[in-house]
């Protein structure tokens, strides 16, 4: 064979190997990408399943305390939604058939039981003692499943393992085997389900959907960018020329946007009100207590010109404390107006403000004619579940899913285990409008 031929063959072989290597590399990268995408899908499904089951646990507890047909229907609808969401998430995960069948049956029976309670509520019949016991049992086992899923997530995190490669983690959790099989008669409950009202806000009267005109700004004059800069500078205790204008923006309310260092602030085009302020900061240590943080946040509100308010829920995280404030009517009734919400975040080092969100207040605050309620507290209290002990009462204005407002008696209650709940009874009709469970720990006070 000629030398030139050998050279050509060697070149062709080298080129072929390079092409083949490239193809193999592309295939490997594609396979790795597919595995990464599958792992992401598994992780998301596991998080969703855990969230749905944890939510079911809370809703089942609420269901035991609900005392009127309207709210029982709403809570039942929530259970059905959570049950369906949990089953959809579970279907994605590589559980063994045995585990899948056991968990799916458990979730289905909770949904079916909720449907039965909903149908029963149409006849205005109260829950029987047996039904209350069943709800308590379901809540307990939902807690077992929640803990089992949390264990799986914790082990995946600690071991830095992938769901796809460690299916045994999903299939060797003993708690799952202890899930009960309730009475087969539950499976006979009709599956047809008409639409129930849904909760259109996230949390207790705090982040409900903002879809209407900002009531507080209605009829107010439009200001210029220069005037807005003056307002922002006064809020930040600086000079207007220290601000950088970023144009207009705002998700719910049109506003002028400015920045100053690591801070950003929004001033409404109508009325020139401070709508939002945010400052980025790392807080190395926590020096202030919640009470001290509350004092600092309240002082900042008064400085912003808001003098009548009441704090409600708060959360501490990363050495920061976010507190929810609602407008407290200055009329004789002293009604807490939950729709008129302002959130203030202060850092727990020196108490400086890191965030101020007045969107809820600007959207909902307006002059109201609050008249004396038709029902007094003692009369309204009769519609609170006998499983709860009323500790205190107050008048409160709460938002409805339809973005209107309803005057209620707010009852702070305790259950037999020492847990706390808030029950809202319509001050005109006596209907049970809403119920929340209070969650208190080292991170704050929230509602579920």
């Amino acid at each position: 064979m000629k030398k030139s031929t050998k050279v050509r063959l060697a070149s062709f072989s080298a080129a072929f190997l390079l092409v083949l290597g490239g193809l193999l590399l592309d295939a490997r990268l594609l396979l790795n990408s597919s595995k990464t995408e599958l792992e992401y899908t598994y992780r998301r499904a596991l998080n969703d399943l855990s969230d749905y089951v944890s939510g079911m646990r809370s809703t089942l507890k609420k269901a035991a305390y609900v005392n009127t047909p309207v709210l029982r229907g709403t809570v039942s609808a929530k259970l059905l939604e959570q049950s369906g969401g949990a089953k959809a998430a579970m279907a994605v995960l590589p559980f063994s058939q045995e585990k899948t069948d056991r968990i799916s049956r458990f979730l289905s029976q909770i949904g079916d039981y909720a449907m039965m309670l909903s149908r029963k509520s149409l006849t205005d019949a109260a829950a029987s003692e047996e039904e209350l016991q069943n709800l308590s049992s379901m809540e307990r086992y939902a807690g077992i499943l929640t803990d089992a899923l949390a264990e799986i997530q914790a082990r995946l995190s600690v071991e830095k393992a992938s769901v796809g490669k460690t299916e045994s983690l999903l299939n060797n959790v003993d708690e799952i085997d202890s899930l009960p099989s309730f009475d087969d008669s539950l499976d006979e409950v009709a599956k047809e389900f008409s639409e129930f009202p849904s909760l259109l806000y996230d949390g207790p009267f705090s982040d409900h959907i903002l879809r209407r005109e900002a009531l507080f700004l209605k009829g107010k004059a439009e200001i210029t960018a220069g005037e807005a800069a003056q307002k922002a500078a006064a809020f930040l205790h600086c000079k207007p020329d220290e601000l950088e204008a970023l144009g207009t923006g705002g998700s719910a309310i049109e506003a002028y946007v400015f920045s100053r260092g690591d801070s950003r602030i929004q001033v409404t085009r109508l009325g020139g009100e401070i709508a939002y302020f945010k400052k980025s900061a790392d807080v190395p240590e926590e020096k202030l207590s919640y009470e001290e943080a509350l004092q600092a946040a309240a002082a900042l509100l008064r400085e912003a010109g808001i003098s009548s308010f009441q704090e409600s829920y708060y959360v501490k995280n990363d050495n920061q404390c976010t507190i929810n404030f609602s407008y407290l009517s200055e009329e004789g009734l002293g009604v807490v107006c939950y729709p008129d919400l302002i959130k203030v975040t202060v850092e727990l080092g020196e108490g400086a403000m890191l965030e101020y969100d007045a969107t809820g207040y600007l959207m909902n605050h307006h002059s109201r004619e609050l008249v004396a309620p038709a029902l007094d507290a003692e009369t309204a209290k009769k519609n609170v579940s006998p499983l709860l002990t009323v500790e205190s009462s107050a008048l409160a204005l709460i938002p409805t899913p339809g973005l209107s407002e309803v005057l209620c008696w707010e009852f702070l209650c305790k259950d037999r285990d020492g847990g706390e709940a808030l029950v809202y009874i319509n001050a005109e009709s006596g209907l049970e409008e809403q119920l929340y469970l209070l969650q208190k720990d080292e991170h704050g006070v929230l509602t579920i």
Side-chain angles (χ1 to χ4, degrees), residues 134-167:
N134 284 340
L135 288 171
S136 178
S137 178
M138 288 177 176
E139 179 207 340
R140 181 165 62 89
Y141 281 104
I144 290 173
L145 183 53
T146 297
D147 293 341
L149 294 170
E151 177 189 340
I152 292 171
Q153 291 176 303
R155 288 179 60 186
L156 285 171
S157 177
V158 170
E159 298 174 13
K160 294 181 172 56
S162 70
V163 178
K165 290 184 178 180
T166 55
E167 294 180 21

PDB file of all heavy atoms in Angstrom, residues 134-167:
ATOM      1  N   ASN A 134     -64.261  10.214  62.429  1.00  0.00           N
ATOM      2  CA  ASN A 134     -63.627   9.861  61.161  1.00  0.00           C
ATOM      3  C   ASN A 134     -62.712  10.981  60.673  1.00  0.00           C
ATOM      4  O   ASN A 134     -61.609  10.736  60.175  1.00  0.00           O
ATOM      5  CB  ASN A 134     -64.690   9.560  60.106  1.00  0.00           C
ATOM      6  CG  ASN A 134     -65.331   8.205  60.310  1.00  0.00           C
ATOM      7  OD1 ASN A 134     -64.769   7.336  60.976  1.00  0.00           O
ATOM      8  ND2 ASN A 134     -66.506   8.022  59.746  1.00  0.00           N
ATOM      9  N   LEU A 135     -63.185  12.229  60.797  1.00  0.00           N
ATOM     10  CA  LEU A 135     -62.361  13.369  60.390  1.00  0.00           C
ATOM     11  C   LEU A 135     -61.083  13.423  61.222  1.00  0.00           C
ATOM     12  O   LEU A 135     -59.996  13.699  60.697  1.00  0.00           O
ATOM     13  CB  LEU A 135     -63.147  14.668  60.548  1.00  0.00           C
ATOM     14  CG  LEU A 135     -64.274  14.913  59.540  1.00  0.00           C
ATOM     15  CD1 LEU A 135     -65.101  16.133  59.952  1.00  0.00           C
ATOM     16  CD2 LEU A 135     -63.706  15.122  58.137  1.00  0.00           C
ATOM     17  N   SER A 136     -61.207  13.164  62.524  1.00  0.00           N
ATOM     18  CA  SER A 136     -60.038  13.172  63.396  1.00  0.00           C
ATOM     19  C   SER A 136     -59.052  12.071  63.002  1.00  0.00           C
ATOM     20  O   SER A 136     -57.834  12.282  62.984  1.00  0.00           O
ATOM     21  CB  SER A 136     -60.482  12.984  64.852  1.00  0.00           C
ATOM     22  OG  SER A 136     -59.366  12.931  65.719  1.00  0.00           O
ATOM     23  N   SER A 137     -59.598  10.898  62.659  1.00  0.00           N
ATOM     24  CA  SER A 137     -58.742   9.789  62.242  1.00  0.00           C
ATOM     25  C   SER A 137     -58.034  10.112  60.934  1.00  0.00           C
ATOM     26  O   SER A 137     -56.826   9.858  60.778  1.00  0.00           O
ATOM     27  CB  SER A 137     -59.578   8.520  62.092  1.00  0.00           C
ATOM     28  OG  SER A 137     -58.791   7.440  61.653  1.00  0.00           O
ATOM     29  N   MET A 138     -58.768  10.679  59.989  1.00  0.00           N
ATOM     30  CA  MET A 138     -58.169  11.046  58.707  1.00  0.00           C
ATOM     31  C   MET A 138     -57.085  12.101  58.890  1.00  0.00           C
ATOM     32  O   MET A 138     -56.034  12.059  58.248  1.00  0.00           O
ATOM     33  CB  MET A 138     -59.256  11.565  57.757  1.00  0.00           C
ATOM     34  CG  MET A 138     -60.184  10.479  57.253  1.00  0.00           C
ATOM     35  SD  MET A 138     -61.508  11.157  56.213  1.00  0.00           S
ATOM     36  CE  MET A 138     -62.335   9.639  55.706  1.00  0.00           C
ATOM     37  N   GLU A 139     -57.357  13.059  59.783  1.00  0.00           N
ATOM     38  CA  GLU A 139     -56.357  14.090  60.042  1.00  0.00           C
ATOM     39  C   GLU A 139     -55.077  13.469  60.606  1.00  0.00           C
ATOM     40  O   GLU A 139     -53.957  13.825  60.214  1.00  0.00           O
ATOM     41  CB  GLU A 139     -56.900  15.114  61.038  1.00  0.00           C
ATOM     42  CG  GLU A 139     -55.904  16.206  61.382  1.00  0.00           C
ATOM     43  CD  GLU A 139     -56.142  16.811  62.764  1.00  0.00           C
ATOM     44  OE1 GLU A 139     -57.262  16.674  63.294  1.00  0.00           O
ATOM     45  OE2 GLU A 139     -55.195  17.397  63.314  1.00  0.00           O
ATOM     46  N   ARG A 140     -55.252  12.501  61.514  1.00  0.00           N
ATOM     47  CA  ARG A 140     -54.085  11.857  62.132  1.00  0.00           C
ATOM     48  C   ARG A 140     -53.251  11.119  61.087  1.00  0.00           C
ATOM     49  O   ARG A 140     -52.022  11.221  61.064  1.00  0.00           O
ATOM     50  CB  ARG A 140     -54.550  10.882  63.227  1.00  0.00           C
ATOM     51  CG  ARG A 140     -53.407  10.186  63.956  1.00  0.00           C
ATOM     52  CD  ARG A 140     -53.914   9.544  65.234  1.00  0.00           C
ATOM     53  NE  ARG A 140     -54.904   8.526  64.977  1.00  0.00           N
ATOM     54  CZ  ARG A 140     -54.595   7.231  64.765  1.00  0.00           C
ATOM     55  NH1 ARG A 140     -53.331   6.847  64.785  1.00  0.00           N
ATOM     56  NH2 ARG A 140     -55.541   6.350  64.558  1.00  0.00           N
ATOM     57  N   TYR A 141     -53.920  10.391  60.204  1.00  0.00           N
ATOM     58  CA  TYR A 141     -53.181   9.635  59.192  1.00  0.00           C
ATOM     59  C   TYR A 141     -52.616  10.543  58.103  1.00  0.00           C
ATOM     60  O   TYR A 141     -51.576  10.241  57.514  1.00  0.00           O
ATOM     61  CB  TYR A 141     -54.063   8.540  58.600  1.00  0.00           C
ATOM     62  CG  TYR A 141     -54.154   7.331  59.506  1.00  0.00           C
ATOM     63  CD1 TYR A 141     -55.290   7.098  60.269  1.00  0.00           C
ATOM     64  CD2 TYR A 141     -53.082   6.454  59.617  1.00  0.00           C
ATOM     65  CE1 TYR A 141     -55.370   6.008  61.113  1.00  0.00           C
ATOM     66  CE2 TYR A 141     -53.148   5.353  60.455  1.00  0.00           C
ATOM     67  CZ  TYR A 141     -54.294   5.135  61.208  1.00  0.00           C
ATOM     68  OH  TYR A 141     -54.354   4.054  62.039  1.00  0.00           O
ATOM     69  N   ALA A 142     -53.292  11.661  57.841  1.00  0.00           N
ATOM     70  CA  ALA A 142     -52.711  12.643  56.918  1.00  0.00           C
ATOM     71  C   ALA A 142     -51.417  13.187  57.511  1.00  0.00           C
ATOM     72  O   ALA A 142     -50.447  13.465  56.798  1.00  0.00           O
ATOM     73  CB  ALA A 142     -53.696  13.780  56.645  1.00  0.00           C
ATOM     74  N   GLY A 143     -51.379  13.331  58.846  1.00  0.00           N
ATOM     75  CA  GLY A 143     -50.158  13.750  59.519  1.00  0.00           C
ATOM     76  C   GLY A 143     -49.057  12.709  59.385  1.00  0.00           C
ATOM     77  O   GLY A 143     -47.882  13.050  59.184  1.00  0.00           O
ATOM     78  N   ILE A 144     -49.426  11.438  59.494  1.00  0.00           N
ATOM     79  CA  ILE A 144     -48.448  10.354  59.328  1.00  0.00           C
ATOM     80  C   ILE A 144     -47.846  10.397  57.931  1.00  0.00           C
ATOM     81  O   ILE A 144     -46.626  10.289  57.735  1.00  0.00           O
ATOM     82  CB  ILE A 144     -49.110   8.982  59.588  1.00  0.00           C
ATOM     83  CG1 ILE A 144     -49.429   8.831  61.077  1.00  0.00           C
ATOM     84  CG2 ILE A 144     -48.199   7.839  59.121  1.00  0.00           C
ATOM     85  CD1 ILE A 144     -50.221   7.585  61.415  1.00  0.00           C
ATOM     86  N   LEU A 145     -48.713  10.576  56.928  1.00  0.00           N
ATOM     87  CA  LEU A 145     -48.228  10.626  55.547  1.00  0.00           C
ATOM     88  C   LEU A 145     -47.382  11.871  55.308  1.00  0.00           C
ATOM     89  O   LEU A 145     -46.364  11.819  54.609  1.00  0.00           O
ATOM     90  CB  LEU A 145     -49.415  10.585  54.574  1.00  0.00           C
ATOM     91  CG  LEU A 145     -49.075  10.548  53.082  1.00  0.00           C
ATOM     92  CD1 LEU A 145     -48.113   9.408  52.762  1.00  0.00           C
ATOM     93  CD2 LEU A 145     -50.348  10.426  52.245  1.00  0.00           C
ATOM     94  N   THR A 146     -47.783  12.995  55.897  1.00  0.00           N
ATOM     95  CA  THR A 146     -46.989  14.228  55.783  1.00  0.00           C
ATOM     96  C   THR A 146     -45.585  14.016  56.337  1.00  0.00           C
ATOM     97  O   THR A 146     -44.585  14.406  55.714  1.00  0.00           O
ATOM     98  CB  THR A 146     -47.672  15.374  56.552  1.00  0.00           C
ATOM     99  OG1 THR A 146     -48.947  15.645  55.957  1.00  0.00           O
ATOM    100  CG2 THR A 146     -46.834  16.639  56.506  1.00  0.00           C
ATOM    101  N   ASP A 147     -45.501  13.387  57.517  1.00  0.00           N
ATOM    102  CA  ASP A 147     -44.198  13.131  58.126  1.00  0.00           C
ATOM    103  C   ASP A 147     -43.368  12.168  57.282  1.00  0.00           C
ATOM    104  O   ASP A 147     -42.144  12.326  57.173  1.00  0.00           O
ATOM    105  CB  ASP A 147     -44.384  12.562  59.534  1.00  0.00           C
ATOM    106  CG  ASP A 147     -44.999  13.575  60.491  1.00  0.00           C
ATOM    107  OD1 ASP A 147     -44.941  14.784  60.190  1.00  0.00           O
ATOM    108  OD2 ASP A 147     -45.541  13.146  61.532  1.00  0.00           O
ATOM    109  N   ALA A 148     -44.032  11.162  56.686  1.00  0.00           N
ATOM    110  CA  ALA A 148     -43.309  10.204  55.853  1.00  0.00           C
ATOM    111  C   ALA A 148     -42.715  10.894  54.631  1.00  0.00           C
ATOM    112  O   ALA A 148     -41.564  10.643  54.254  1.00  0.00           O
ATOM    113  CB  ALA A 148     -44.255   9.078  55.424  1.00  0.00           C
ATOM    114  N   LEU A 149     -43.477  11.772  54.013  1.00  0.00           N
ATOM    115  CA  LEU A 149     -42.979  12.497  52.839  1.00  0.00           C
ATOM    116  C   LEU A 149     -41.867  13.464  53.230  1.00  0.00           C
ATOM    117  O   LEU A 149     -40.888  13.643  52.480  1.00  0.00           O
ATOM    118  CB  LEU A 149     -44.137  13.252  52.172  1.00  0.00           C
ATOM    119  CG  LEU A 149     -45.218  12.362  51.552  1.00  0.00           C
ATOM    120  CD1 LEU A 149     -46.427  13.202  51.143  1.00  0.00           C
ATOM    121  CD2 LEU A 149     -44.681  11.602  50.352  1.00  0.00           C
ATOM    122  N   ALA A 150     -41.996  14.088  54.404  1.00  0.00           N
ATOM    123  CA  ALA A 150     -40.943  14.984  54.875  1.00  0.00           C
ATOM    124  C   ALA A 150     -39.647  14.207  55.117  1.00  0.00           C
ATOM    125  O   ALA A 150     -38.546  14.704  54.846  1.00  0.00           O
ATOM    126  CB  ALA A 150     -41.382  15.685  56.167  1.00  0.00           C
ATOM    127  N   GLU A 151     -39.780  12.972  55.616  1.00  0.00           N
ATOM    128  CA  GLU A 151     -38.604  12.125  55.840  1.00  0.00           C
ATOM    129  C   GLU A 151     -37.908  11.814  54.520  1.00  0.00           C
ATOM    130  O   GLU A 151     -36.677  11.859  54.418  1.00  0.00           O
ATOM    131  CB  GLU A 151     -39.025  10.825  56.527  1.00  0.00           C
ATOM    132  CG  GLU A 151     -37.868   9.839  56.727  1.00  0.00           C
ATOM    133  CD  GLU A 151     -38.354   8.481  57.196  1.00  0.00           C
ATOM    134  OE1 GLU A 151     -39.480   8.392  57.725  1.00  0.00           O
ATOM    135  OE2 GLU A 151     -37.599   7.493  57.023  1.00  0.00           O
ATOM    136  N   ILE A 152     -38.695  11.500  53.492  1.00  0.00           N
ATOM    137  CA  ILE A 152     -38.125  11.222  52.174  1.00  0.00           C
ATOM    138  C   ILE A 152     -37.366  12.437  51.658  1.00  0.00           C
ATOM    139  O   ILE A 152     -36.238  12.339  51.177  1.00  0.00           O
ATOM    140  CB  ILE A 152     -39.241  10.825  51.189  1.00  0.00           C
ATOM    141  CG1 ILE A 152     -39.845   9.474  51.575  1.00  0.00           C
ATOM    142  CG2 ILE A 152     -38.704  10.769  49.758  1.00  0.00           C
ATOM    143  CD1 ILE A 152     -41.090   9.113  50.791  1.00  0.00           C
ATOM    144  N   GLN A 153     -37.993  13.627  51.754  1.00  0.00           N
ATOM    145  CA  GLN A 153     -37.352  14.844  51.260  1.00  0.00           C
ATOM    146  C   GLN A 153     -36.077  15.155  52.023  1.00  0.00           C
ATOM    147  O   GLN A 153     -35.065  15.560  51.436  1.00  0.00           O
ATOM    148  CB  GLN A 153     -38.330  16.014  51.360  1.00  0.00           C
ATOM    149  CG  GLN A 153     -39.497  15.921  50.381  1.00  0.00           C
ATOM    150  CD  GLN A 153     -40.497  17.037  50.579  1.00  0.00           C
ATOM    151  OE1 GLN A 153     -41.042  17.213  51.670  1.00  0.00           O
ATOM    152  NE2 GLN A 153     -40.763  17.796  49.534  1.00  0.00           N
ATOM    153  N   ALA A 154     -36.101  14.947  53.352  1.00  0.00           N
ATOM    154  CA  ALA A 154     -34.921  15.227  54.167  1.00  0.00           C
ATOM    155  C   ALA A 154     -33.775  14.287  53.794  1.00  0.00           C
ATOM    156  O   ALA A 154     -32.620  14.713  53.673  1.00  0.00           O
ATOM    157  CB  ALA A 154     -35.264  15.089  55.653  1.00  0.00           C
ATOM    158  N   ARG A 155     -34.074  13.021  53.583  1.00  0.00           N
ATOM    159  CA  ARG A 155     -33.028  12.052  53.240  1.00  0.00           C
ATOM    160  C   ARG A 155     -32.455  12.330  51.853  1.00  0.00           C
ATOM    161  O   ARG A 155     -31.252  12.201  51.632  1.00  0.00           O
ATOM    162  CB  ARG A 155     -33.586  10.631  53.325  1.00  0.00           C
ATOM    163  CG  ARG A 155     -33.843  10.168  54.755  1.00  0.00           C
ATOM    164  CD  ARG A 155     -34.412   8.781  54.801  1.00  0.00           C
ATOM    165  NE  ARG A 155     -33.511   7.805  54.196  1.00  0.00           N
ATOM    166  CZ  ARG A 155     -33.844   6.529  54.008  1.00  0.00           C
ATOM    167  NH1 ARG A 155     -35.053   6.101  54.361  1.00  0.00           N
ATOM    168  NH2 ARG A 155     -32.979   5.690  53.458  1.00  0.00           N
ATOM    169  N   LEU A 156     -33.320  12.722  50.931  1.00  0.00           N
ATOM    170  CA  LEU A 156     -32.824  13.073  49.598  1.00  0.00           C
ATOM    171  C   LEU A 156     -31.873  14.257  49.673  1.00  0.00           C
ATOM    172  O   LEU A 156     -30.866  14.317  48.971  1.00  0.00           O
ATOM    173  CB  LEU A 156     -33.997  13.403  48.675  1.00  0.00           C
ATOM    174  CG  LEU A 156     -34.824  12.231  48.156  1.00  0.00           C
ATOM    175  CD1 LEU A 156     -36.070  12.741  47.447  1.00  0.00           C
ATOM    176  CD2 LEU A 156     -34.012  11.354  47.222  1.00  0.00           C
ATOM    177  N   SER A 157     -32.205  15.212  50.546  1.00  0.00           N
ATOM    178  CA  SER A 157     -31.375  16.402  50.682  1.00  0.00           C
ATOM    179  C   SER A 157     -30.047  16.071  51.352  1.00  0.00           C
ATOM    180  O   SER A 157     -28.981  16.480  50.891  1.00  0.00           O
ATOM    181  CB  SER A 157     -32.123  17.468  51.487  1.00  0.00           C
ATOM    182  OG  SER A 157     -31.319  18.601  51.689  1.00  0.00           O
ATOM    183  N   VAL A 158     -30.101  15.312  52.453  1.00  0.00           N
ATOM    184  CA  VAL A 158     -28.884  14.981  53.196  1.00  0.00           C
ATOM    185  C   VAL A 158     -27.958  14.100  52.372  1.00  0.00           C
ATOM    186  O   VAL A 158     -26.745  14.298  52.330  1.00  0.00           O
ATOM    187  CB  VAL A 158     -29.251  14.283  54.523  1.00  0.00           C
ATOM    188  CG1 VAL A 158     -27.993  13.719  55.191  1.00  0.00           C
ATOM    189  CG2 VAL A 158     -29.948  15.257  55.458  1.00  0.00           C
ATOM    190  N   GLU A 159     -28.545  13.105  51.692  1.00  0.00           N
ATOM    191  CA  GLU A 159     -27.733  12.158  50.927  1.00  0.00           C
ATOM    192  C   GLU A 159     -27.401  12.663  49.522  1.00  0.00           C
ATOM    193  O   GLU A 159     -26.686  12.013  48.774  1.00  0.00           O
ATOM    194  CB  GLU A 159     -28.459  10.815  50.842  1.00  0.00           C
ATOM    195  CG  GLU A 159     -28.692  10.181  52.197  1.00  0.00           C
ATOM    196  CD  GLU A 159     -29.553   8.920  52.127  1.00  0.00           C
ATOM    197  OE1 GLU A 159     -29.749   8.416  51.002  1.00  0.00           O
ATOM    198  OE2 GLU A 159     -30.013   8.466  53.176  1.00  0.00           O
ATOM    199  N   LYS A 160     -27.956  13.858  49.191  1.00  0.00           N
ATOM    200  CA  LYS A 160     -27.732  14.431  47.863  1.00  0.00           C
ATOM    201  C   LYS A 160     -27.987  13.401  46.764  1.00  0.00           C
ATOM    202  O   LYS A 160     -27.208  13.245  45.815  1.00  0.00           O
ATOM    203  CB  LYS A 160     -26.311  14.993  47.742  1.00  0.00           C
ATOM    204  CG  LYS A 160     -26.063  16.194  48.658  1.00  0.00           C
ATOM    205  CD  LYS A 160     -24.664  16.740  48.493  1.00  0.00           C
ATOM    206  CE  LYS A 160     -24.490  18.054  49.247  1.00  0.00           C
ATOM    207  NZ  LYS A 160     -24.810  17.970  50.664  1.00  0.00           N
ATOM    208  N   ALA A 161     -29.076  12.675  46.938  1.00  0.00           N
ATOM    209  CA  ALA A 161     -29.420  11.610  45.999  1.00  0.00           C
ATOM    210  C   ALA A 161     -30.517  12.071  45.070  1.00  0.00           C
ATOM    211  O   ALA A 161     -31.224  13.048  45.328  1.00  0.00           O
ATOM    212  CB  ALA A 161     -29.876  10.372  46.768  1.00  0.00           C
ATOM    213  N   SER A 162     -30.667  11.384  43.947  1.00  0.00           N
ATOM    214  CA  SER A 162     -31.740  11.691  43.014  1.00  0.00           C
ATOM    215  C   SER A 162     -32.909  10.756  43.255  1.00  0.00           C
ATOM    216  O   SER A 162     -32.726   9.610  43.670  1.00  0.00           O
ATOM    217  CB  SER A 162     -31.257  11.541  41.564  1.00  0.00           C
ATOM    218  OG  SER A 162     -31.044  10.179  41.257  1.00  0.00           O
ATOM    219  N   VAL A 163     -34.111  11.248  43.009  1.00  0.00           N
ATOM    220  CA  VAL A 163     -35.303  10.441  43.207  1.00  0.00           C
ATOM    221  C   VAL A 163     -35.271   9.223  42.294  1.00  0.00           C
ATOM    222  O   VAL A 163     -35.588   8.101  42.682  1.00  0.00           O
ATOM    223  CB  VAL A 163     -36.580  11.271  42.930  1.00  0.00           C
ATOM    224  CG1 VAL A 163     -37.824  10.412  43.084  1.00  0.00           C
ATOM    225  CG2 VAL A 163     -36.638  12.463  43.877  1.00  0.00           C
ATOM    226  N   GLY A 164     -34.874   9.454  41.049  1.00  0.00           N
ATOM    227  CA  GLY A 164     -34.880   8.370  40.076  1.00  0.00           C
ATOM    228  C   GLY A 164     -33.967   7.227  40.444  1.00  0.00           C
ATOM    229  O   GLY A 164     -34.236   6.074  40.133  1.00  0.00           O
ATOM    230  N   LYS A 165     -32.828   7.520  41.094  1.00  0.00           N
ATOM    231  CA  LYS A 165     -31.855   6.479  41.428  1.00  0.00           C
ATOM    232  C   LYS A 165     -32.089   5.866  42.801  1.00  0.00           C
ATOM    233  O   LYS A 165     -31.442   4.903  43.164  1.00  0.00           O
ATOM    234  CB  LYS A 165     -30.439   7.061  41.368  1.00  0.00           C
ATOM    235  CG  LYS A 165     -29.968   7.389  39.962  1.00  0.00           C
ATOM    236  CD  LYS A 165     -28.529   7.855  39.981  1.00  0.00           C
ATOM    237  CE  LYS A 165     -28.025   8.133  38.566  1.00  0.00           C
ATOM    238  NZ  LYS A 165     -26.615   8.588  38.551  1.00  0.00           N
ATOM    239  N   THR A 166     -32.972   6.474  43.589  1.00  0.00           N
ATOM    240  CA  THR A 166     -33.199   5.955  44.938  1.00  0.00           C
ATOM    241  C   THR A 166     -34.682   5.733  45.169  1.00  0.00           C
ATOM    242  O   THR A 166     -35.261   6.245  46.113  1.00  0.00           O
ATOM    243  CB  THR A 166     -32.653   6.940  45.994  1.00  0.00           C
ATOM    244  OG1 THR A 166     -33.246   8.228  45.770  1.00  0.00           O
ATOM    245  CG2 THR A 166     -31.154   7.070  45.918  1.00  0.00           C
ATOM    246  N   GLU A 167     -35.284   4.957  44.281  1.00  0.00           N
ATOM    247  CA  GLU A 167     -36.707   4.682  44.426  1.00  0.00           C
ATOM    248  C   GLU A 167     -37.007   3.966  45.733  1.00  0.00           C
ATOM    249  O   GLU A 167     -38.119   4.027  46.246  1.00  0.00           O
ATOM    250  CB  GLU A 167     -37.196   3.838  43.256  1.00  0.00           C
ATOM    251  CG  GLU A 167     -37.150   4.553  41.919  1.00  0.00           C
ATOM    252  CD  GLU A 167     -37.656   3.678  40.784  1.00  0.00           C
ATOM    253  OE1 GLU A 167     -38.384   2.723  41.059  1.00  0.00           O
ATOM    254  OE2 GLU A 167     -37.313   3.977  39.639  1.00  0.00           O
TER     255      GLU A 167
END
